[in-house]
Structure formats: structure tokens, C-alpha cells
Amino acid sequence: MKFCTISTFDLPFSEGRHWKITLFFFILTFSSIGQNLQNGLIVHYKTDGNFFDSSGANLHGTPTNVTYGQDHNGNPNSAASFNGNSSQVILPNASVLKPGFPITIALYVKFNSLTVNKSYIFDTDYTQNNHSGVWLNLTGNGTLSVSFGDAQGGTTSGNRRSFTGTTQIQPNIWYHVVVIIKSATDMEIYIDCNKENGSYSGSGGTLIGYTNDPGSIGVLDVANQNPYHFSGQIDDWRMWNRVLTPLELSIVCGSTPMPNPGLIPKINLGNDTALCSGQSLTFDVRQGFPATYLWSNGSNDSVVTLPAPGTYWVQISTADTTVTDTVRLDIQDPPRVELLDSTLCVGAPITLDVSQPEPATYLWNTGSTEPWISPVESGVYSVRVANDCGSDTAWCTIVFESCEVQFQMPNVFTPNADGTNDVFGPVFNEGIAHIKISIFN
């Protein structure tokens, strides 16, 4: 936070006195406000279908017979509903959930009933026969009252301090409520961003007292009676161990939007992708804050379906910056494979290669998963090739034969025209293309 002096001047006052007034104005860096709201945040229950603590402290509540419905904005499954008979949430029994002064607690609440014993919203110290911790409820007049107890073992007005507002609460209406306790004589209630006028009561101790019991939401343990169970809805329950600033209060209760200067869009269209023929791919580049979108095909939507093939880009702009990303979509065909029958000499090399564009998988009947094999034995060979667009199978027969030349040269012959050994020459099998014989005396 920064500040600077505007001016100093004298202000006339009664009885001839003057007051010297110095005016300051403060410059709050808005980009830090979101982080500031995390400062001193003890616990945050968004009630989006559960009582998980989103503050990062992992102080998760344990709900019983709690259901979830529409919140103050009409979002489904985003507010906790309490039935007034058995619903409750028990908080972790952690010392951090039992802070001293100051305390700020904020929540949205809707009352189904204005009956006092159905109106206790929370109690940071769920114990019987003892005013302790901090609690919030309706009075018999239908106004909100925040109290804290001194944990001295009594449940009379002499064991508590209370501040009660004046606004008449109506049933079945969402209210945003902020309570701030700075001391026994300095307590505030804000309803829908408006600070309540009100009055103090009780004469208990001036400090908050706690027992060894945990806190609770939606239930109050009452002296010598069955517990009081809240009837209504609760949403977005938060507690800080400090006093929120006026600007923070206005943001928490919704009268001032959370500033988001300097937001930079983030986009990632992913790696270049191959699609099967006829397929398309949908891209969702929504940012969650005001931005404009422009695609290379002219679309201004944040969600676009694009066909293959093609190269596409998207441009996302805010008041501060513009970012762009590009992706290429290609077409991938189903595999097509072919193998040819072959006859070879024993020992001759051969490679059966069915390589395809990646990605593809291969499975040969030999067990190999490589794109090729090199057979060394006669047999039938088959392969199945698959990719994201389909598969194909092929097979062939490979025969290995002996190619060795069989050659004999006789050392006698009988040229007597009887048809046997009448001709002198070599005897051989197929495979010899040329022969040369030399005879010497």
C-alpha cells in the first residue's frame, strides 16, 4: 500500500480555535487484494458438495445429514442445506480454529425458520453447559446476534458478551453476513454490505474462552437439552484472525468486484495431431475472465471444432495483452499391408517389411512387435498392423530350397550304340548354365 499527502490546512473551530488537518489518500495495489484476502484466513468452506477446507490448511469439516443445493447465485450443488433436526458439521479440534481477538467470519445464509432454536448458524466451541467460543443466531425479534463466551462454566448473561443488530431477517432469503469481533465492546455485524446499528448485552469476561471441544456449524449444544439444529442453507463460510479492511469487506460481500488487472490469457492447443478421415477435434480455450477470441477460420467463439487437415491458430486478447497459439491437424489413414510369397536358396537373406507412418503397432505370428522380420526357415508368416484408425492383416509363404550343384564326371564310356553310356561327358542336375571340357592324350 502507498500513501501521499494532499494538503495541510487550518479549519476554523468554535471558541476561536483552529484544527490543523492533513489529508492523505491511499493507493492500494488492486493486484494484491486477492492475495490479501488470504492473509490471516484460517479456514474456508466453499460448500461445493462438501466441507473441504480450500484455504490450504486442510481443516476439513465432518458433515452429518447435510445435503447440497442451489447457492445464492443459483448454482447447483453449491450450498449446504441443514434440516433443523439432525444436520451438523463438526470442525477439526484444532487450536487455530479457536482464535482470540480480532476475528472476522463471513458467510451466506438463508433461514428456513425464524424460530430461535432453529437459527444457530455456528459455534466455534461446541460444548454443553458452558458459554464459550463465538456463535451467531437470531434473537426472538428476528434480528441477528453475535456472541462470545468466557468458558467459565455458566450459561447465563453473566458468561457472555453479545452484539445484536436491528435488521429484521426474513425467511427463505439469502443474506451475506460478516461479523467482526475486536473486543468485548467493539463488535460489528454487516448484512449485505451494510453495517448494522445495534446494542450490547451480557456481562461475561472480556476475553473469548474455549474448552477442549471442537467447533461446529449448524448445531449448538444447549445446557441440559438436546442440541439446537439449524434449519436453512449456508454457503461460502470463511474465518480470519484479523479485521478485514473496508475495501476487502466490500469485495467479500460482493459490492465491489474483485479486480483482475494484468491478467494474461493462457492457451495451449497441444501438439500437432493426426486424425482419422472424417474426424474433427474440439478446442476449449475459455479463460474465466473477460477476453476476446479470434480463430484463423474467422470464429470468435471460445470453443471451436476444427476438421483435419489444416493449420489453425487462435488469438486471445484482453485489455492488457494478446497471445496466440497454433496447431496442425493431419489425416491418418488405416494401415494397408501386403506380403508376397517367395522361394529362395537356403541361407539367402530376406526381410519382410510392413512399416507404416507412426503411430502404429505390429504383431507377427513369430511374436515380434517390430515393423519387419527376417525369416530363416520355410513357413507361413503373418502380421497384424494397427493404428488409431483401423488395422490390416497380411500373410505369405516363404520356401527355402537347396541350391547346391550335383556334378559327376565318368571315367569310362561304351560307344556301342546300345543306348547305355554311349556318350562321354559330365552328369549334373539343373543349375549349370555353361560347361567346358578339355581332353588330353
Side-chain angles (χ1 to χ4, degrees), residues 104-336:
T104 299
I105 298 176
L107 70 151
Y108 287 90
V109 61
K110 181 168 67 171
F111 296 89
N112 294 342
S113 170
L114 301 184
T115 303
V116 172
N117 61 5
K118 300 289 186 183
S119 72
Y120 283 85
I121 302 170
F122 64 83
D123 182 1
T124 63
D125 195 43
Y126 179 58
T127 190
Q128 193 177 49
N129 299 323
N130 202 342
H131 276 334
S132 58
V134 178
W135 64 93
L136 179 67
N137 65 283
L138 292 177
T139 68
N141 295 325
T143 58
L144 276 174
S145 179
V146 61
S147 307
F148 72 85
D150 56 17
Q152 296 300 306
T155 57
T156 68
S157 61
N159 299 107
R160 63 166 173 82
R161 296 291 184 116
S162 302
F163 176 78
T164 302
T166 59
T167 296
Q168 295 291 314
I169 299 299
Q170 302 299 316
N172 302 315
I173 294 177
W174 278 107
Y175 295 95
H176 188 269
V177 177
V178 179
V179 296
I180 301 175
I181 305 177
K182 305 173 187 177
S183 70
T185 56
D186 192 353
M187 293 187 270
E188 298 172 348
I189 298 176
Y190 293 82
I191 300 178
D192 294 336
C193 299
N194 297 310
K195 184 178 180 180
E196 286 282 275
N197 296 317
S199 58
Y200 291 88
S201 63
S203 57
T206 57
L207 297 178
I208 304 173
Y210 293 97
T211 70
N212 293 325
D213 292 322
S216 62
I217 296 176
V219 65
L220 179 79
D221 208 347
V222 186
N224 303 315
Q225 300 181 49
N226 292 327
Y228 290 165
H229 288 275
F230 176 66
S231 177
Q233 289 76 47
I234 295 173
D235 183 24
D236 205 25
W237 196 96
R238 286 183 274 185
M239 179 164 64
W240 291 264
N241 60 6
R242 67 179 180 90
V243 176
L244 299 187
T245 67
L247 179 57
E248 290 172 332
L249 279 173
S250 67
I251 292 173
V252 168
C253 71
S255 64
T256 300
M258 175 66 78
N260 285 313
L263 288 174
I264 299 176
K266 296 179 180 180
I267 52 174
N268 183 8
L269 298 181
N271 298 327
D272 294 346
T273 303
L275 303 176
C276 302
S277 179
Q279 286 185 332
S280 58
L281 194 60
T282 298
F283 295 89
D284 186 342
V285 295
R286 286 175 289 190
Q287 298 297 300
F289 51 82
T292 60
Y293 306 87
L294 176 62
W295 292 83
S296 54
N297 64 357
S299 174
N300 298 118
D301 296 329
S302 58
V303 181
V304 171
T305 299
L306 301 175
T311 299
Y312 304 93
W313 53 260
V314 61
Q315 177 179 287
I316 303 178
S317 302
T318 66
D320 302 297
T321 189
T322 297
V323 295
T324 303
D325 195 18
T326 302
V327 67
R328 175 166 180 79
L329 301 182
D330 292 312
I331 288 181
Q332 182 180 35
D333 295 319
R336 293 290 181 265

